Every structure is written in structure tokens, then in C-alpha cells.
Amino acid sequence: MLDGPAQDAETIILSSGLGGVAGYWGPQLDALRARYRVITYDQRGCGRTGGDLPDGLTIGDMADDLLAVLDASGTARAHIMGHALGGLIGLDLALRASDRIGKLVLINAWSRADPHSGRCFDTRLALLDHVGVEAFLHAQPLFLYPAAWMAENAERLAAEEAHGLAHFQGAANIKRRIHALRSFDIDARLSDVTAPTLVIASRDDLLVPWQRSARLSAGIAGSALVLMTEGGHAMNVTQPAPFNRAVLDFLAA
């Protein structure tokens, strides 16, 4: 999807996490498209793009797909905002195609997967393999949202679960995407990232410890770090007002 002002406006492309769908960014669209040309897309194997993913899929392959989206939309250079896996895509491009990147926004991302995140992924994969897709999707909000927010949004979560079941990307695709993000490791190369970077994390993220974001900020020269006190892994959904404000202030600086 392409939205926002005229062709000559700055462009920002939004890259989602493991779910991989453009719809994840709904709470950011109004705030961004008032000033920016906004591109959202369903990643390969996900949503409307669909398809089976190959064995050996890497974050680099996903980054190549993002470049293809930029080319198809006539975009020579764009800001990139990525959530978790989407942030890894942005980091890969920052190292391989820095001329295509303006600014980089990394949300609950990492330079090397944390063992705690590995435990979470192992748990989710065990549910998928031994209980089934419904159990996998039923547990998913636990890794995304704070308990208080879930308690106040039970109907929304039920609708998300039903939609996720109806449009599930497939167990094989999920496993290949998780393998790709767990294999990603650029920890020794963070100093090579030259794009102006904002790193955002939430202290109550159950899936990715906020220290992974602190490591990103420490390793990327000149980067800014915003630590939110609450919001969970998907704090751009649960705390959109402070999140959007931080992003807009960074982009406009």
C-alpha cells in the first residue's frame, strides 16, 4: 500500500515482525501520512503476498524483497521503520545498501538473538508442533501485549485470533522465518551502520529483553535510544501516542 502526500514527499517504508503483514501498522498510518509518503507491504509468504518460503531463507532474502518493493514503487531512497524481524531487515540493508536508506527506526530489534527470545520461540514452536495452529495463535498475544492491555481488549484479541486462523501463513513458513531471525548475527558489525538511527524498546517486552536494544544503541554511533516503561513487544499498538511522537520527532530532527 502506498499512501500519503505527493510523490516528492519523503518516503518511509514500514516492515513488520514475524506476522509479516501490512495491517500491523494501523496505529501509525494517520500520524505518518500527514507528512510522509508511506509504504506498507505484506512480506513474502504472508498475507496477500502469500506463497511458500524456501528452505534456507535468510534476513538478507527478506531485505532483497524490501528493495524490490522500493523499486516497484519508484522509490530511490526511504526511511525504514522495522518491528523486530522487520528491524533486522532494516539493519541488513543498512550494511548492504546504505544509499537506499534515509533514517532507520528499530523497534524491539536485535543484533544477535537473546537466549531468552530463543526460549520463547521454542515454546511457540512446541505449541505449533504438538498442539496445533489454534494453540499457537491463542498464545501469541502473551508474547506481544501487556496483561492489563489484554484484559481491556479481549474482544479485539478474539477477532485477531480468528483472523489469524483464517489467514495463517502456514507452519513451514513460520518455522523458516523464525530460523532466519534466530540465525541473524551482525553484532560485530554494528559500528558499520551509518544511517541515523532511532532504537525503541519497552522495558516490559516479554519476547525481546530491552537490553538487546540497548546493545544496538551502544554499537551504532550517534543513535538515539527511547525506552518506554510499558507497552510490551507491540508497544506501537498498545501505546501509539508516545510511540508515534518519538518517531515523528526523530524523523523531523
Side-chain angles (χ1 to χ4, degrees):
M1 183 182 75
L2 179 60
D3 202 354
Q7 187 81 11
D8 58 351
E10 292 181 13
T11 299
I12 182 168
I13 186 166
L14 312 182
S15 189
S16 304
L18 185 62
V21 294
Y24 176 75
W25 298 103
Q28 280 64 64
L29 292 183
D30 284 345
L32 288 171
R33 63 190 173 196
R35 176 171 177 178
Y36 297 96
R37 179 174 175 259
V38 181
I39 299 174
T40 57
Y41 70 107
D42 291 344
Q43 294 171 10
R44 186 168 23 146
C46 305
R48 292 162 296 181
T49 303
D52 295 328
L53 297 174
D55 287 330
L57 179 79
T58 67
I59 295 297
D61 294 329
M62 300 182 207
D64 288 341
D65 290 342
L66 187 151
L67 286 177
V69 172
L70 291 179
D71 290 342
S73 63
T75 307
R77 186 178 176 88
H79 307 308
I80 297 177
M81 180 158 70
H83 178 259
L85 181 149
L88 310 191
I89 291 172
L91 283 165
D92 182 87
L93 288 182
L95 292 171
R96 292 197 296 120
S98 61
D99 59 312
R100 304 297 300 272
I101 297 178
K103 294 184 177 181
L104 188 60
V105 180
L106 305 174
I107 310 159
N108 290 330
W110 58 89
S111 56
R112 175 191 295 153
D114 191 277
H116 169 78
S117 299
R119 178 186 294 269
C120 292
F121 287 124
D122 287 341
T123 300
R124 297 176 72 180
L125 290 172
L127 284 171
L128 183 61
D129 284 337
H130 302 299
V131 187
V133 173
E134 291 189 20
F136 176 86
L137 294 173
H138 192 61
Q140 182 168 277
L142 300 175
F143 299 97
L144 296 178
Y145 308 123
W149 189 90
M150 287 191 289
E152 295 172 356
N153 292 272
E155 291 185 4
R156 172 176 175 159
L157 294 182
E160 287 184 357
E161 187 174 334
H163 184 270
L165 184 60
H167 302 278
F168 187 60
Q169 61 183 270
N173 280 2
I174 284 283
K175 292 177 182 180
R176 286 163 182 158
R177 285 166 63 78
I178 288 177
H179 181 267
L181 62 82
R182 294 179 79 165
S183 302
F184 183 78
D185 185 351
I186 60 157
D187 195 69
R189 301 185 61 197
L190 286 176
S191 61
D192 295 332
V193 176
T194 58
T197 302
L198 172 65
V199 181
I200 309 181
S202 178
R203 290 184 180 273
D204 66 347
D205 184 353
L206 176 63
L207 182 58
V208 182
W210 63 266
Q211 289 89 347
R212 291 289 88 205
S213 290
R215 167 59 189 150
L216 284 175
S217 183
I220 301 174
S223 62
L225 175 64
V226 171
L227 283 178
M228 298 178 62
T229 57
E230 60 182 2
H233 187 62
M235 77 279 203
N236 60 300
V237 174
T238 64
Q239 296 287 332
F243 176 88
N244 292 346
R245 185 165 55 250
V247 171
L248 290 172
D249 286 349
F250 168 73
L251 294 176

